[in-house]
Amino acid sequence: MKHGAPAGRSTPAIEFDDVSLRFISADGNATVALRNFSMSVARGEFVAIVGPTGCGKSTTLNMITGLLKPTVGSVRVMGQPVTGIDPRIGFVFQADAVFPWRSVEDNVAAGPLFRGKAKPEAMALAQEWIHRVGLSRFGKHYPHQLSGGMRKRVALAQTFINNPEILLMDEPFSALDMQTRTLMQDELLQLWSGNGGSVVFVTHDLEEAIALADRVFVLSARPATLKRVYDVDLPRPRVMSEVRYDPQFIDLSKQIWDELRQEVVLA
Ligand SMILES: Nc1ncnc2c1ncn2[C@@H]1O[C@H](COP(=O)(O)OP(=O)(O)O)[C@@H](O)[C@H]1O
Ligand SMILES: [Mg+2]
């Protein structure tokens, strides 16, 4: 794929430079959703953003996709200002983005087909990815015949099949039960380690953020400002069911939680 001129491997995948965003509602009231926010995400880096509900996490992702424009400051993707939907970006949201009227294999093949791959090739590639996420026996099933966890697997296959250089995730697993959630987090880390892209993972779940990410960006209550960035030095590969008992993990969650607690109270 062709990149913009200055975008060598050393160019950050994503850069927020002193970004503020203010919404003006129909009745003329202003809501500041984000204030003086700066963040740089390296190629291949896994970053998590945590903060209380309503602080501006989704707003941040929407500026990476170009859905929202900063009121002040700039957002760059691969060294270029965001102009519109970028085919190098993949998304997984909390709500299922699968087409309910399409079978699993047609859902997973949708991306490659849309990008102009011939049908037989797209279907073969889809089979590979369906297998990779453990749904080999369910290719002909429809989404309503699957559990919530299985639909998430479809969503992951559907996203990773396009080999995104940037993956944006907005509370993707929050509707799942604990066990399924843990499995999906492992699945995600496995897929990501084979993909090598950058991830921005938004969650209100601090432990999820620490367990998954290289760095955790903690936002304050609205208007969100960046309170602090924490490095997570836990070794990889990580196994979700084990990482939670790592003393380093426990230390870090206590430390961040102390910081976050004040914000949750304020929100
Ligand atoms: N299109 C919009 N118009 C006005 N206000 C908005 C709009 N989108 C979000 N907001 C407000 O901005 C704040 C941040 O929203 P959001 O980024 O969705 O929070 P989070 O994802 O952290 O829960 C909230 O107070 C929300 O009500
Ligand atoms: Mg949100």
Side-chain angles (χ1 to χ4, degrees):
M1 194 170 295
K2 230 178 144 105
H3 294 206
R9 288 298 299 174
S10 59
T11 313
I14 300 163
E15 292 165 281
F16 280 76
D17 186 16
D18 209 12
V19 167
S20 298
L21 188 137
R22 197 175 58 227
F23 291 111
I24 308 289
S25 62
D27 57 10
N29 284 322
T31 305
V32 177
L34 202 62
R35 179 175 289 168
N36 302 114
F37 179 71
S38 295
M39 171 176 83
S40 177
V41 181
R43 306 292 176 104
E45 190 180 22
F46 197 126
V47 154
I49 301 178
V50 284
T53 301
C55 77
K57 302 183 296 297
S58 298
T59 299
T60 310
L61 293 187
N62 287 336
M63 284 191 277
I64 302 172
T65 65
L67 210 60
L68 290 173
K69 295 236 173 302
T71 314
V72 183
S74 71
V75 181
R76 299 168 86 81
V77 169
M78 308 292 185
Q80 302 286 319
V82 177
T83 48
I85 300 297
D86 189 320
R88 296 171 295 187
I89 300 181
F91 322 83
V92 181
F93 298 130
Q94 181 179 345
D96 291 321
V98 296
F99 303 113
W101 61 89
R102 285 189 186 164
S103 66
V104 167
E105 55 188 25
D106 287 338
N107 263 293
V108 176
L113 283 173
F114 181 75
R115 286 152 198 251
K117 258 214 175 16
K119 179 114 190 193
E121 267 178 76
M123 296 314 283
L125 195 58
Q127 290 307 332
E128 251 176 65
W129 281 96
I130 290 167
H131 179 71
R132 214 169 287 185
V133 298
L135 293 177
S136 300
R137 287 166 39 233
F138 299 92
K140 306 276 184 219
H141 284 60
Y142 286 83
H144 75 270
Q145 300 172 305
L146 306 176
S147 68
M150 290 160 91
R151 281 200 297 273
K152 277 296 166 204
R153 289 176 187 277
V154 176
L156 288 179
Q158 200 176 37
T159 305
F160 276 97
I161 197 173
N162 299 316
N163 198 25
E165 289 178 51
I166 292 175
L167 179 56
L168 306 179
M169 306 187 84
D170 196 348
E171 316 221 11
F173 306 142
S174 23
L176 303 173
D177 62 81
M178 250 288 272
Q179 288 89 332
T180 307
R181 197 167 178 181
T182 305
L183 291 176
M184 293 313 302
Q185 291 162 344
D186 278 326
E187 189 78 48
L188 167 64
L189 285 186
Q190 223 163 60
L191 293 172
W192 170 64
S193 72
N195 151 268
S198 310
V199 182
V200 181
F201 190 104
V202 158
T203 177
H204 58 257
D205 181 340
L206 176 56
E207 302 208 335
E208 179 173 55
I210 300 170
L212 293 172
D214 296 317
R215 284 191 298 155
V216 176
F217 284 68
V218 178
L219 298 182
S220 68
R222 190 161 57 86
T225 54
L226 183 55
K227 284 212 79 170
R228 200 183 293 202
V229 186
Y230 292 87
D231 288 318
V232 184
D233 288 328
L234 296 164
R236 294 189 188 276
R238 298 179 193 164
V239 177
M240 287 304 124
S241 52
E242 291 167 12
V243 80
R244 288 162 208 281
Y245 304 105
D246 191 304
Q248 228 181 311
F249 176 94
I250 295 168
D251 271 1
L252 196 55
S253 31
K254 274 191 191 142
Q255 200 184 330
I256 305 181
W257 180 240
D258 275 343
E259 179 110 40
L260 204 55
R261 188 189 344 251
Q262 312 159 15
E263 298 307 325
V264 177
V265 171
L266 286 173

